[in-house]
Amino acid sequence: MNYFAERLKSARLMNGLSLQGLADKINNRITKQSLSKYELGQVIPDSEMIGILSEALVVSPDYFFSNQVLEFGTIEFPKLENYPAKERTRIVEIAKDELGRYLELEQILGIETRFENPVIDIKIQSFEDIEKAARKLRDHWNLGTGPLSNVIELLEDHHVKVLEIESTEEFDGFSTWVNGKNIPLIVLNKGKLNEAPDRKRFTALHELAHLILEVNHLPEKEKEKFCHSFATAMLIPDERLRVELGGKRSKLSFHELAAIKQQYGISMQALVYRAKNVGLISDNYFRQFYAIFNQLGYRKNEPVAYEGAEHSNRFSQLLFRALAEDFITMSKAASLKNQKLAEFRKENMVI
């Protein structure tokens, strides 16, 4: 297999460039026809041209010769299909590149990455089944019933890969299985979610539901409702919500919802939905509350922000472990981080 040809095309698509766009970016030192021959595997460029292409495409020269092959399964995010094809392709190719470097690092360190799905035996037919699945997952991961401090880190610790990618498109996230059912992957829109960590937590758990629950064969609306419910059930188990709200209620206060939001990292909107779904407030009161919430403009900007951290440093931690233990050279570390060696040294103050 000509890995260079495939990697060149992937790098071009990551940058959202056509063949002519790439030719223009390198000041037409070669034509788009010549670039096409590279991508078809008919010609392999010399080292000088590889350097020029790596500079233009913002990848290391090593990138072009990786033999790692990643096959994405069905992407669980219908809205992504409506986005411009170029941007959709760009996001997917960036995800493949970042995941590839992550997996290569784990392979170098000999880290076991097999994911175990503890709820695979639960047939999802009702909201009660969703509650059962959330309880079982919390039990299996020894989470108890308390707040989850960092969802992204939690998922990564249990072999779910979570990538954060910049995109101008209005999507929160999507998920897919990679190389069959071997690697569960969640991709989050960094630009949109970094300012709303509670939404990032919810989105990550919503996408986890797509990956581990048998719901993707269901009608779209029903499937999304189940995934929403799973995310909220993971963020605040029903028994904890009952304790926090003191049982059934005829009214709710914005202030108490804000306090629960700060503690559990779940939006006020999601809390009200959850209170309705577990029978703590009536459908009628839910509609009244949500109407007022919407009128006040809180649907887009809630009056209180969740201040918890939502990110993972796992990749960097593994990278510097590999470097410290001489599993990789400084040059390889820079390559895995997709940086030039001088840039890597400067950014990380490596002597």
Side-chain angles (χ1 to χ4, degrees):
M1 179 183 289
N2 188 335
Y3 292 110
F4 178 87
E6 289 195 4
R7 300 290 279 177
L8 174 60
K9 183 177 181 180
S10 178
R12 176 173 64 78
L13 294 173
M14 275 197 292
N15 283 270
L17 295 171
S18 64
L19 284 167
Q20 185 59 57
L22 177 54
D24 292 341
K25 193 165 185 181
I26 60 174
N27 298 318
N28 291 294
R29 295 187 190 188
I30 55 172
T31 64
K32 74 172 185 178
Q33 288 78 14
S34 296
L35 287 170
S36 178
K37 289 180 180 179
Y38 292 166
E39 289 192 3
L40 292 171
Q42 297 172 354
V43 178
I44 295 179
D46 59 23
S47 58
E48 181 184 2
M49 182 51 64
I50 288 173
I52 292 169
L53 290 170
S54 66
E55 187 77 22
L57 296 170
V58 201
V59 294
S60 70
D62 291 350
Y63 166 89
F64 293 115
F65 300 100
S66 170
N67 60 4
Q68 193 167 57
V69 177
L70 297 177
E71 294 293 334
F72 280 19
T74 301
I75 291 178
E76 282 302 326
F77 191 63
K79 291 180 182 178
L80 201 63
E81 296 299 319
N82 300 322
Y83 293 162
K86 182 187 287 188
E87 178 64 4
R88 187 169 67 244
T89 301
R90 187 186 74 85
I91 293 168
V92 170
E93 292 300 329
I94 289 174
K96 285 183 178 179
D97 173 50
E98 291 194 10
L99 179 62
R101 287 186 277 114
Y102 201 152
L103 295 176
E104 183 181 356
L105 178 58
E106 289 186 324
Q107 188 176 31
I108 289 169
L109 289 168
I111 293 174
E112 171 62 51
T113 61
R114 185 174 61 86
F115 174 76
E116 179 184 351
N117 183 358
V119 299
I120 195 169
D121 60 330
I122 298 178
K123 188 174 182 181
I124 304 298
Q125 296 178 311
S126 66
F127 287 109
E128 287 73 21
D129 297 325
I130 293 294
E131 295 291 329
K132 181 180 176 182
R135 281 195 297 271
K136 186 170 183 179
L137 184 62
R138 271 184 167 260
D139 288 344
H140 191 80
W141 286 358
N142 298 313
L143 302 177
T145 61
L148 305 177
S149 63
N150 188 328
V151 167
I152 307 302
E153 199 168 71
L154 172 69
L155 295 179
E156 293 254 88
D157 285 345
H158 290 88
H159 308 305
V160 179
K161 293 294 178 286
V162 183
L163 303 178
E164 297 185 51
I165 293 174
E166 294 279 4
S167 175
T168 57
E169 297 299 326
E170 284 296 309
F171 80 93
D172 287 354
F174 64 83
S175 56
T176 189
W177 285 95
V178 182
N179 293 352
K181 283 276 187 175
N182 293 321
I183 305 164
L185 172 67
I186 294 171
V187 176
L188 303 175
N189 188 343
K190 184 191 298 185
K192 185 173 182 183
L193 295 177
N194 268 2
E195 297 302 316
D198 56 305
R199 188 167 181 174
K200 184 189 284 189
R201 291 158 63 82
F202 178 89
T203 300
L205 290 169
H206 175 101
E207 295 305 329
L208 178 67
H210 279 296
L211 292 169
I212 67 174
L213 302 181
E214 294 296 324
V215 295
N216 294 324
H217 63 286
L218 298 171
E220 191 62 30
K221 284 188 177 180
E222 187 177 5
K223 174 173 65 176
E224 290 302 297
K225 282 183 179 179
F226 279 151
C227 290
H228 283 344
S229 294
F230 177 81
T232 56
M234 284 296 295
L235 288 169
I236 182 165
D238 59 349
E239 59 266 44
R240 294 307 308 164
L241 184 61
R242 291 176 190 279
V243 169
E244 297 294 350
L245 293 182
K248 286 193 174 184
R249 299 283 297 273
S250 58
K251 293 181 180 179
L252 294 173
S253 157
F254 284 161
H255 294 293
E256 65 177 325
L257 291 176
I260 298 171
K261 172 179 179 173
Q262 288 285 27
Q263 184 177 0
Y264 288 87
I266 179 173
S267 72
M268 295 166 69
Q269 295 173 76
L271 276 170
V272 177
Y273 269 105
R274 181 128 177 80
K276 175 181 76 76
N277 287 342
V278 300
L280 296 181
I281 60 172
S282 68
D283 288 353
N284 185 50
Y285 180 71
F286 167 77
R287 286 191 292 271
Q288 292 177 29
F289 187 96
Y290 202 77
I292 296 171
F293 202 79
N294 198 29
Q295 287 171 10
L296 293 171
Y298 291 164
R299 188 173 178 182
K300 289 188 176 180
N301 295 296
E302 294 191 347
V304 174
Y306 173 63
E307 297 174 357
E310 272 305 323
H311 61 274
S312 172
N313 292 316
R314 187 171 183 270
F315 178 85
S316 292
Q317 181 184 345
L318 295 180
L319 184 74
F320 288 106
R321 182 206 299 181
L323 190 58
E325 295 184 1
D326 294 325
F327 282 104
I328 57 175
T329 63
M330 191 80 68
S331 177
K332 182 61 176 177
S335 176
L336 286 169
K337 210 169 180 188
N338 196 31
Q339 291 182 318
K340 294 178 181 178
L341 180 56
E343 180 187 2
F344 178 80
R345 283 181 183 275
K346 182 179 179 181
E347 182 178 296
N348 298 287
M349 295 184 290
V350 178
I351 299 174

